[in-house]
mmCIF file of all heavy atoms in Angstrom:
data_model
loop_
_atom_site.group_PDB
_atom_site.id
_atom_site.type_symbol
_atom_site.label_atom_id
_atom_site.label_comp_id
_atom_site.label_asym_id
_atom_site.label_seq_id
_atom_site.Cartn_x
_atom_site.Cartn_y
_atom_site.Cartn_z
ATOM 1 N N LEU A 454 49.206 -15.074 -11.121
ATOM 2 C CA LEU A 454 49.600 -14.276 -12.307
ATOM 3 C C LEU A 454 50.907 -13.536 -12.010
ATOM 4 O O LEU A 454 51.815 -13.293 -12.885
ATOM 5 C CB LEU A 454 48.521 -13.368 -12.726
ATOM 6 C CG LEU A 454 47.313 -14.047 -13.392
ATOM 7 C CD1 LEU A 454 46.266 -13.091 -13.670
ATOM 8 C CD2 LEU A 454 47.815 -14.736 -14.745
ATOM 9 N N GLU A 455 50.968 -12.882 -10.799
ATOM 10 C CA GLU A 455 52.097 -12.138 -10.380
ATOM 11 C C GLU A 455 53.349 -13.044 -10.348
ATOM 12 O O GLU A 455 54.482 -12.700 -10.813
ATOM 13 C CB GLU A 455 51.856 -11.369 -9.108
ATOM 14 C CG GLU A 455 53.068 -10.462 -8.711
ATOM 15 C CD GLU A 455 53.297 -9.426 -9.627
ATOM 16 O OE1 GLU A 455 52.406 -8.917 -10.352
ATOM 17 O OE2 GLU A 455 54.440 -8.958 -9.830
ATOM 18 N N ALA A 456 53.142 -14.242 -9.876
ATOM 19 C CA ALA A 456 54.293 -15.129 -9.803
ATOM 20 C C ALA A 456 54.743 -15.563 -11.231
ATOM 21 O O ALA A 456 55.918 -15.700 -11.563
ATOM 22 C CB ALA A 456 53.910 -16.411 -9.072
ATOM 23 N N LEU A 457 53.766 -15.752 -12.088
ATOM 24 C CA LEU A 457 54.139 -16.082 -13.509
ATOM 25 C C LEU A 457 54.952 -15.020 -14.231
ATOM 26 O O LEU A 457 55.897 -15.186 -15.006
ATOM 27 C CB LEU A 457 52.857 -16.449 -14.325
ATOM 28 C CG LEU A 457 52.224 -17.665 -13.958
ATOM 29 C CD1 LEU A 457 50.939 -17.866 -14.740
ATOM 30 C CD2 LEU A 457 53.148 -18.928 -14.307
ATOM 31 N N ARG A 458 54.533 -13.634 -13.889
ATOM 32 C CA ARG A 458 55.164 -12.526 -14.522
ATOM 33 C C ARG A 458 56.681 -12.585 -14.000
ATOM 34 O O ARG A 458 57.606 -12.247 -14.844
ATOM 35 C CB ARG A 458 54.466 -11.302 -14.228
ATOM 36 C CG ARG A 458 53.097 -11.140 -14.765
ATOM 37 C CD ARG A 458 52.491 -9.707 -14.580
ATOM 38 N NE ARG A 458 51.195 -9.592 -15.067
ATOM 39 C CZ ARG A 458 50.045 -9.849 -14.240
ATOM 40 N NH1 ARG A 458 50.247 -10.013 -12.951
ATOM 41 N NH2 ARG A 458 48.855 -9.759 -14.766
ATOM 42 N N GLU A 459 56.936 -12.774 -12.757
ATOM 43 C CA GLU A 459 58.270 -12.809 -12.142
ATOM 44 C C GLU A 459 59.064 -13.904 -12.825
ATOM 45 O O GLU A 459 60.286 -13.811 -13.170
ATOM 46 C CB GLU A 459 58.174 -12.955 -10.733
ATOM 47 C CG GLU A 459 57.607 -11.771 -9.931
ATOM 48 C CD GLU A 459 57.580 -11.917 -8.496
ATOM 49 O OE1 GLU A 459 58.056 -13.005 -7.974
ATOM 50 O OE2 GLU A 459 57.155 -11.003 -7.797
ATOM 51 N N ILE A 460 58.481 -15.069 -13.065
ATOM 52 C CA ILE A 460 59.091 -16.249 -13.620
ATOM 53 C C ILE A 460 59.515 -15.887 -15.095
ATOM 54 O O ILE A 460 60.602 -16.189 -15.480
ATOM 55 C CB ILE A 460 58.169 -17.492 -13.596
ATOM 56 C CG1 ILE A 460 57.982 -17.979 -12.199
ATOM 57 C CG2 ILE A 460 58.798 -18.623 -14.507
ATOM 58 C CD1 ILE A 460 56.914 -18.951 -11.967
ATOM 59 N N ALA A 461 58.594 -15.185 -15.794
ATOM 60 C CA ALA A 461 58.926 -14.754 -17.241
ATOM 61 C C ALA A 461 60.045 -13.769 -17.198
ATOM 62 O O ALA A 461 60.946 -13.888 -18.063
ATOM 63 C CB ALA A 461 57.704 -14.203 -17.819
ATOM 64 N N LEU A 462 60.171 -12.892 -16.293
ATOM 65 C CA LEU A 462 61.221 -11.891 -16.275
ATOM 66 C C LEU A 462 62.493 -12.514 -15.972
ATOM 67 O O LEU A 462 63.450 -11.969 -16.499
ATOM 68 C CB LEU A 462 60.782 -10.785 -15.250
ATOM 69 C CG LEU A 462 59.732 -9.821 -15.571
ATOM 70 C CD1 LEU A 462 59.388 -8.898 -14.407
ATOM 71 C CD2 LEU A 462 60.153 -9.032 -16.866
ATOM 72 N N ARG A 463 62.505 -13.598 -15.254
ATOM 73 C CA ARG A 463 63.749 -14.316 -14.895
ATOM 74 C C ARG A 463 64.205 -15.228 -16.082
ATOM 75 O O ARG A 463 65.324 -15.781 -15.978
ATOM 76 C CB ARG A 463 63.588 -15.104 -13.604
ATOM 77 C CG ARG A 463 63.590 -14.230 -12.338
ATOM 78 C CD ARG A 463 63.841 -15.024 -11.061
ATOM 79 N NE ARG A 463 62.824 -16.049 -10.908
ATOM 80 C CZ ARG A 463 61.703 -15.865 -10.180
ATOM 81 N NH1 ARG A 463 61.509 -14.791 -9.558
ATOM 82 N NH2 ARG A 463 60.871 -16.826 -9.947
ATOM 83 N N GLY A 464 63.380 -15.285 -17.080
ATOM 84 C CA GLY A 464 63.711 -16.171 -18.188
ATOM 85 C C GLY A 464 63.525 -17.588 -17.931
ATOM 86 O O GLY A 464 64.018 -18.485 -18.640
ATOM 87 N N GLU A 465 62.720 -17.921 -16.970
ATOM 88 C CA GLU A 465 62.530 -19.394 -16.692
ATOM 89 C C GLU A 465 61.348 -19.838 -17.536
ATOM 90 O O GLU A 465 60.575 -19.138 -18.165
ATOM 91 C CB GLU A 465 62.190 -19.599 -15.219
ATOM 92 C CG GLU A 465 63.301 -19.138 -14.297
ATOM 93 C CD GLU A 465 62.988 -19.387 -12.759
ATOM 94 O OE1 GLU A 465 62.477 -20.478 -12.440
ATOM 95 O OE2 GLU A 465 63.155 -18.445 -12.019
ATOM 96 N N GLN A 466 61.085 -21.176 -17.488
ATOM 97 C CA GLN A 466 60.027 -21.852 -18.164
ATOM 98 C C GLN A 466 59.004 -22.512 -17.292
ATOM 99 O O GLN A 466 59.337 -22.963 -16.141
ATOM 100 C CB GLN A 466 60.491 -22.888 -19.177
ATOM 101 C CG GLN A 466 61.493 -22.317 -20.179
ATOM 102 C CD GLN A 466 62.074 -23.393 -21.165
ATOM 103 O OE1 GLN A 466 62.707 -24.294 -20.687
ATOM 104 N NE2 GLN A 466 61.650 -23.372 -22.466
ATOM 105 N N VAL A 467 57.791 -22.466 -17.634
ATOM 106 C CA VAL A 467 56.677 -23.083 -16.928
ATOM 107 C C VAL A 467 56.185 -24.276 -17.625
ATOM 108 O O VAL A 467 55.767 -24.185 -18.819
ATOM 109 C CB VAL A 467 55.577 -22.171 -16.584
ATOM 110 C CG1 VAL A 467 54.379 -22.869 -15.904
ATOM 111 C CG2 VAL A 467 55.961 -20.925 -15.700
ATOM 112 N N ALA A 468 56.261 -25.411 -17.019
ATOM 113 C CA ALA A 468 55.880 -26.695 -17.768
ATOM 114 C C ALA A 468 54.470 -27.023 -17.566
ATOM 115 O O ALA A 468 53.696 -27.383 -18.487
ATOM 116 C CB ALA A 468 56.775 -27.911 -17.275
ATOM 117 N N VAL A 469 53.932 -26.942 -16.249
ATOM 118 C CA VAL A 469 52.550 -27.354 -16.014
ATOM 119 C C VAL A 469 52.022 -26.364 -15.024
ATOM 120 O O VAL A 469 52.651 -25.931 -14.088
ATOM 121 C CB VAL A 469 52.603 -28.842 -15.387
ATOM 122 C CG1 VAL A 469 51.018 -29.194 -15.065
ATOM 123 C CG2 VAL A 469 53.069 -29.817 -16.331
ATOM 124 N N ILE A 470 50.618 -26.049 -15.209
ATOM 125 C CA ILE A 470 49.892 -25.286 -14.354
ATOM 126 C C ILE A 470 48.694 -26.009 -13.874
ATOM 127 O O ILE A 470 47.932 -26.460 -14.686
ATOM 128 C CB ILE A 470 49.416 -23.950 -15.045
ATOM 129 C CG1 ILE A 470 50.656 -23.068 -15.458
ATOM 130 C CG2 ILE A 470 48.571 -23.031 -14.144
ATOM 131 C CD1 ILE A 470 50.310 -21.839 -16.333
ATOM 132 N N LEU A 471 48.475 -26.079 -12.601
ATOM 133 C CA LEU A 471 47.206 -26.723 -12.034
ATOM 134 C C LEU A 471 46.501 -25.682 -11.249
ATOM 135 O O LEU A 471 47.023 -25.038 -10.352
ATOM 136 C CB LEU A 471 47.674 -27.918 -11.029
ATOM 137 C CG LEU A 471 48.487 -29.076 -11.647
ATOM 138 C CD1 LEU A 471 49.902 -28.780 -11.327
ATOM 139 C CD2 LEU A 471 48.015 -30.311 -10.990
ATOM 140 N N ALA A 472 45.195 -25.469 -11.644
ATOM 141 C CA ALA A 472 44.437 -24.393 -11.112
ATOM 142 C C ALA A 472 43.122 -24.939 -10.649
ATOM 143 O O ALA A 472 42.494 -25.659 -11.331
ATOM 144 C CB ALA A 472 44.278 -23.153 -12.111
ATOM 145 N N ASP A 473 42.748 -24.447 -9.375
ATOM 146 C CA ASP A 473 41.402 -24.889 -8.874
ATOM 147 C C ASP A 473 40.401 -24.020 -9.543
ATOM 148 O O ASP A 473 40.696 -22.769 -9.869
ATOM 149 C CB ASP A 473 41.430 -24.645 -7.410
ATOM 150 C CG ASP A 473 40.018 -24.900 -6.787
ATOM 151 O OD1 ASP A 473 39.576 -26.095 -6.937
ATOM 152 O OD2 ASP A 473 39.419 -24.121 -6.070
ATOM 153 N N GLN A 474 39.196 -24.567 -9.796
ATOM 154 C CA GLN A 474 38.154 -23.717 -10.495
ATOM 155 C C GLN A 474 37.539 -22.801 -9.606
ATOM 156 O O GLN A 474 37.337 -21.682 -9.963
ATOM 157 C CB GLN A 474 37.156 -24.748 -11.148
ATOM 158 C CG GLN A 474 35.926 -24.053 -11.694
ATOM 159 C CD GLN A 474 36.179 -23.047 -12.744
ATOM 160 O OE1 GLN A 474 37.221 -22.962 -13.343
ATOM 161 N NE2 GLN A 474 35.157 -22.236 -13.053
ATOM 162 N N ARG A 475 37.080 -23.217 -8.439
ATOM 163 C CA ARG A 475 36.204 -22.366 -7.484
ATOM 164 C C ARG A 475 37.200 -21.517 -6.622
ATOM 165 O O ARG A 475 37.566 -21.899 -5.560
ATOM 166 C CB ARG A 475 35.370 -23.286 -6.679
ATOM 167 C CG ARG A 475 34.334 -23.983 -7.511
ATOM 168 C CD ARG A 475 33.291 -24.659 -6.551
ATOM 169 N NE ARG A 475 32.245 -25.302 -7.355
ATOM 170 C CZ ARG A 475 31.112 -25.809 -6.800
ATOM 171 N NH1 ARG A 475 30.993 -25.685 -5.509
ATOM 172 N NH2 ARG A 475 30.276 -26.382 -7.553
ATOM 173 N N MET A 476 37.484 -20.334 -7.164
ATOM 174 C CA MET A 476 38.265 -19.385 -6.391
ATOM 175 C C MET A 476 37.560 -18.081 -6.479
ATOM 176 O O MET A 476 36.981 -17.739 -7.468
ATOM 177 C CB MET A 476 39.660 -19.262 -6.905
ATOM 178 C CG MET A 476 40.584 -20.492 -6.839
ATOM 179 S SD MET A 476 42.358 -20.172 -7.319
ATOM 180 C CE MET A 476 42.100 -19.851 -9.115
ATOM 181 N N PRO A 477 37.581 -17.293 -5.353
ATOM 182 C CA PRO A 477 36.969 -15.998 -5.378
ATOM 183 C C PRO A 477 37.811 -15.030 -6.213
ATOM 184 O O PRO A 477 38.997 -15.285 -6.428
ATOM 185 C CB PRO A 477 36.937 -15.507 -3.927
ATOM 186 C CG PRO A 477 38.071 -16.350 -3.295
ATOM 187 C CD PRO A 477 38.106 -17.681 -4.037
ATOM 188 N N ARG A 478 37.302 -13.855 -6.685
ATOM 189 C CA ARG A 478 37.993 -12.910 -7.467
ATOM 190 C C ARG A 478 38.254 -13.295 -8.891
ATOM 191 O O ARG A 478 38.131 -12.570 -9.778
ATOM 192 C CB ARG A 478 39.296 -12.397 -6.768
ATOM 193 C CG ARG A 478 39.077 -11.769 -5.408
ATOM 194 C CD ARG A 478 40.409 -11.478 -4.788
ATOM 195 N NE ARG A 478 41.129 -10.572 -5.511
ATOM 196 C CZ ARG A 478 42.420 -10.195 -5.254
ATOM 197 N NH1 ARG A 478 42.970 -10.881 -4.187
ATOM 198 N NH2 ARG A 478 43.115 -9.361 -5.977
ATOM 199 N N MET A 479 38.665 -14.604 -9.075
ATOM 200 C CA MET A 479 39.041 -15.036 -10.382
ATOM 201 C C MET A 479 38.948 -16.567 -10.339
ATOM 202 O O MET A 479 39.613 -17.317 -9.626
ATOM 203 C CB MET A 479 40.498 -14.630 -10.706
ATOM 204 C CG MET A 479 41.060 -15.064 -12.084
ATOM 205 S SD MET A 479 42.734 -14.601 -12.355
ATOM 206 C CE MET A 479 42.532 -12.824 -12.474
ATOM 207 N N THR A 480 38.109 -17.110 -11.359
ATOM 208 C CA THR A 480 37.953 -18.565 -11.428
ATOM 209 C C THR A 480 39.175 -19.249 -12.008
ATOM 210 O O THR A 480 40.026 -18.467 -12.671
ATOM 211 C CB THR A 480 36.699 -18.884 -12.216
ATOM 212 O OG1 THR A 480 36.959 -18.610 -13.615
ATOM 213 C CG2 THR A 480 35.490 -18.194 -11.688
ATOM 214 N N GLY A 481 39.225 -20.546 -11.853
ATOM 215 C CA GLY A 481 40.424 -21.211 -12.517
ATOM 216 C C GLY A 481 40.480 -20.964 -14.129
ATOM 217 O O GLY A 481 41.522 -20.748 -14.622
ATOM 218 N N VAL A 482 39.282 -20.988 -14.721
ATOM 219 C CA VAL A 482 39.281 -20.801 -16.168
ATOM 220 C C VAL A 482 39.686 -19.373 -16.528
ATOM 221 O O VAL A 482 40.572 -19.133 -17.435
ATOM 222 C CB VAL A 482 37.894 -21.043 -16.738
ATOM 223 C CG1 VAL A 482 37.743 -20.653 -18.198
ATOM 224 C CG2 VAL A 482 37.499 -22.524 -16.525
ATOM 225 N N GLU A 483 39.274 -18.418 -15.797
ATOM 226 C CA GLU A 483 39.765 -17.030 -16.008
ATOM 227 C C GLU A 483 41.228 -16.884 -15.761
ATOM 228 O O GLU A 483 41.880 -16.196 -16.580
ATOM 229 C CB GLU A 483 38.946 -16.102 -15.069
ATOM 230 C CG GLU A 483 37.449 -15.921 -15.408
ATOM 231 C CD GLU A 483 36.768 -15.195 -14.299
ATOM 232 O OE1 GLU A 483 37.216 -15.093 -13.163
ATOM 233 O OE2 GLU A 483 35.583 -14.812 -14.671
ATOM 234 N N PHE A 484 41.686 -17.552 -14.730
ATOM 235 C CA PHE A 484 43.124 -17.361 -14.515
ATOM 236 C C PHE A 484 44.001 -18.075 -15.629
ATOM 237 O O PHE A 484 44.909 -17.555 -16.221
ATOM 238 C CB PHE A 484 43.562 -18.115 -13.181
ATOM 239 C CG PHE A 484 44.945 -18.565 -13.035
ATOM 240 C CD1 PHE A 484 45.935 -17.579 -12.953
ATOM 241 C CD2 PHE A 484 45.298 -19.851 -13.169
ATOM 242 C CE1 PHE A 484 47.261 -17.936 -12.756
ATOM 243 C CE2 PHE A 484 46.707 -20.231 -13.043
ATOM 244 C CZ PHE A 484 47.637 -19.268 -12.880
ATOM 245 N N LEU A 485 43.540 -19.304 -16.116
ATOM 246 C CA LEU A 485 44.343 -19.979 -17.192
ATOM 247 C C LEU A 485 44.269 -19.123 -18.429
ATOM 248 O O LEU A 485 45.225 -19.256 -19.135
ATOM 249 C CB LEU A 485 43.625 -21.418 -17.316
ATOM 250 C CG LEU A 485 43.914 -22.376 -16.263
ATOM 251 C CD1 LEU A 485 43.136 -23.688 -16.451
ATOM 252 C CD2 LEU A 485 45.402 -22.626 -16.051
ATOM 253 N N GLU A 486 43.152 -18.561 -18.697
ATOM 254 C CA GLU A 486 43.062 -17.714 -19.962
ATOM 255 C C GLU A 486 44.200 -16.694 -19.956
ATOM 256 O O GLU A 486 44.807 -16.333 -20.882
ATOM 257 C CB GLU A 486 41.697 -17.163 -20.124
ATOM 258 C CG GLU A 486 41.527 -16.463 -21.463
ATOM 259 C CD GLU A 486 40.117 -16.110 -21.706
ATOM 260 O OE1 GLU A 486 39.216 -16.134 -20.794
ATOM 261 O OE2 GLU A 486 39.748 -15.743 -22.900
#
Side-chain angles (χ1 to χ4, degrees):
L454 287 174
E455 185 60 32
L457 288 176
R458 293 188 187 99
E459 292 180 4
I460 291 168
L462 287 174
R463 288 196 296 266
E465 298 181 50
Q466 296 178 297
V467 175
V469 179
I470 300 173
L471 299 95
D473 183 52
Q474 169 60 12
R475 293 192 178 187
M476 295 187 293
R478 299 174 60 191
M479 181 182 290
T480 68
V482 173
E483 292 170 341
F484 160 72
L485 290 172
E486 188 169 11

